Amino acid sequence: MVRACVMTAPDEPVEVRQLPEPTLEPGGVVLRTIYSEVCGTDVHLWHGRLAGVPYPIIPGHVSVGRVEATGGEVRDADGQVLVAGDTVTFLDVHENCYSCWYCLVAKASTRCPKRRVYGITYSASEGLLGGWSEKIYLKPGVRIIRLPPTLGPETFISGGCGLPTAFHAVERATIRLGDTVVVQGTGPVGLCACVFARLSGALNVIAIGAPRLRLDMALEMGADHAISIEDAPASRRVQIVHDLTSGRGADVVIEATGVPAAVAEGLEMVRDAGVYSVAGQYTDAGDVTLNPHRAINKKHVDIRGTWGTDFSHLYRAVQMLNKYRERFPWTEMISRYYGLEQANEALRDVEAGRVVKAVVRPGAG
Ligand SMILES: [Zn+2]
Ligand SMILES: [Zn+2]
């Protein structure tokens, strides 16, 4: 039997249950989980804020583990055969169909209606398909990345799902050399976005968030300026961005807050003909009022949504993480490790913003 956390229904305590060992199919892989993560999405899942979630589920969508067994010859994304003991991660999104209109014509696979996501849209009755578990079953076709030997599992999990999400948001933002970039939000997505904006050639990166601990971390993760939302009201924050950009506003603004009001504020921070990349509104947190004449049309602004990640974002983000593993203090984003029995505490800590990144360590007992 395998010990796993099960989220039985919205707003019910997460339970640790004994579940059957996975049945290995040809092309499948059994992982012994090293780390999984708790992110804001898990808190939303806990409160039933995502549609179409097949409770009971095993949460945990981004994880890293050690290969325990493979169903015959299974290869990673580089074509190398996986062997027992390899440290790997995988794209949580599975079963993109590559035969629907969105996959084939729009080439927007993150909007494929057939996609399923580990830890979110698989039921616990379908197997060990979430990371808050001693083992994870990778179904045939799951896209696997072997971590480079120099990249430790702690470093990988420190950004968690924030790492590929930020990578995608920065890719969508098309930062140019010498741009001034504002990053709204200093959670894992925002902090990783500061790094990727810096590495994209930004001249100045301005992080906006709270609390002080996260702002200090932003300064170590590539930001040149850190503005506290606790010290400066919205109008003042907009003014500071304009003061730092000769009154024009930032070339690029990346939203990673999850707060609808931040979108109206971000549109005031972006310069005319700039780019606004929205990545933080992953759940429906409500409406916001804005003036479309001033905020969009007259501004000639390019607004880009960022939904989910595809394999390229995770793959490239892992390679970049490995390359710059010593330049930025990635693992300082990990505030605390939690055993499976502490999952409810981890959810409460993430919800209250007491931690930057909460990591689940199923082996901790
Ligand atoms: Zn599709
Ligand atoms: Zn997540």
Side-chain angles (χ1 to χ4, degrees):
M1 301 297 272
V2 177
R3 289 167 58 253
C5 285
V6 176
M7 198 177 269
T8 56
D11 295 316
E12 291 294 324
V14 171
E15 298 172 8
V16 177
R17 290 190 185 165
Q18 303 274 346
L19 297 175
E21 289 277 345
T23 308
L24 198 52
E25 307 156 273
V29 175
V30 177
L31 291 189
R32 183 162 283 280
T33 314
I34 302 173
Y35 301 120
S36 190
E37 60 151 357
V38 184
C39 83
T41 300
D42 298 306
V43 175
H44 294 314
L45 287 168
W46 195 31
H47 294 312
R49 291 192 203 116
L50 265 74
V53 176
Y55 301 97
I57 61 166
I58 302 172
H61 41 280
V62 169
S63 311
V64 56
R66 210 152 270 140
V67 173
E68 191 170 89
T70 65
E73 190 179 276
V74 181
R75 293 173 186 270
D76 68 10
D78 291 315
Q80 300 297 312
V81 175
L82 291 168
V83 297
D86 282 346
T87 302
V88 302
T89 186
F90 58 96
L91 184 67
D92 55 350
V93 178
H94 180 231
E95 295 179 5
N96 268 124
C97 73
Y98 298 108
S99 60
C100 75
W101 189 90
Y102 283 99
C103 284
L104 290 175
V105 180
K107 295 187 179 175
S109 67
T110 67
R111 294 305 303 143
C112 172
K114 299 255 172 66
R115 70 207 282 275
R116 306 280 304 275
V117 187
Y118 271 69
I120 299 178
T121 66
Y122 279 116
S123 167
S125 64
E126 294 175 274
L128 301 173
L129 306 176
W132 301 5
S133 167
E134 289 174 328
K135 294 184 185 184
I136 309 171
Y137 181 56
L138 305 186
K139 291 154 78 82
V142 168
R143 307 297 171 195
I144 299 168
I145 300 171
R146 191 194 320 243
L147 294 196
T150 46
L151 182 61
E154 298 83 9
T155 309
F156 171 75
I157 207 68
S158 61
C161 66
L163 185 81
T165 303
F167 189 96
H168 192 186
V170 169
E171 186 180 82
R172 292 280 284 161
T174 55
I175 292 165
R176 298 175 66 200
L177 286 172
D179 273 353
T180 292
V181 178
V182 167
V183 176
Q184 296 176 281
T186 47
V189 176
L191 292 171
C192 291
C194 288
V195 168
F196 289 131
R198 163 66 58 224
L199 296 177
S200 298
L203 180 69
N204 282 308
V205 177
I206 305 164
I208 302 175
R212 193 68 242 172
L213 174 80
R214 293 184 183 206
L215 292 169
D216 290 344
M217 200 168 293
L219 294 171
E220 291 183 61
M221 297 291 281
D224 304 280
H225 305 274
I227 303 172
S228 169
I229 58 170
E230 292 167 339
D231 298 346
S235 58
R236 176 73 192 128
R237 302 194 287 264
V238 170
Q239 189 57 50
I240 293 170
V241 170
H242 282 254
D243 289 347
L244 288 168
T245 53
S246 305
R248 287 186 295 267
D251 302 289
V252 169
V253 178
I254 295 167
E255 186 278 325
T257 68
V259 179
V263 173
E265 183 180 328
L267 281 165
E268 290 192 52
M269 290 175 174
V270 67
R271 69 162 164 84
D272 288 3
V275 176
Y276 192 36
S277 175
V278 178
Q281 309 290 318
Y282 187 71
T283 51
D284 187 344
D287 299 334
V288 68
T289 301
L290 54 83
N291 181 307
H293 168 67
R294 283 190 287 108
I296 303 174
N297 201 328
K298 186 181 176 206
K299 196 173 258 275
H300 193 66
V301 70
D302 208 339
I303 303 175
R304 297 172 188 168
T306 303
W307 185 250
T309 54
D310 69 22
F311 187 76
S312 74
H313 306 119
L314 180 64
Y315 183 91
R316 287 169 183 267
V318 167
Q319 313 310 319
M320 292 291 275
L321 179 64
N322 182 44
K323 173 94 175 175
Y324 295 102
R325 64 187 181 276
E326 283 166 0
R327 175 151 162 210
F328 301 101
W330 300 93
T331 53
E332 286 179 23
M333 281 194 284
I334 300 176
S335 309
R336 204 182 141 185
Y337 293 91
Y338 299 82
L340 296 180
E341 280 74 12
Q342 297 164 305
N344 293 296
E345 201 180 338
L347 284 164
R348 284 193 294 271
D349 286 349
V350 171
E351 182 168 34
R354 281 190 287 268
V355 291
V356 179
K357 179 51 73 182
V359 170
V360 174
R361 185 165 49 189

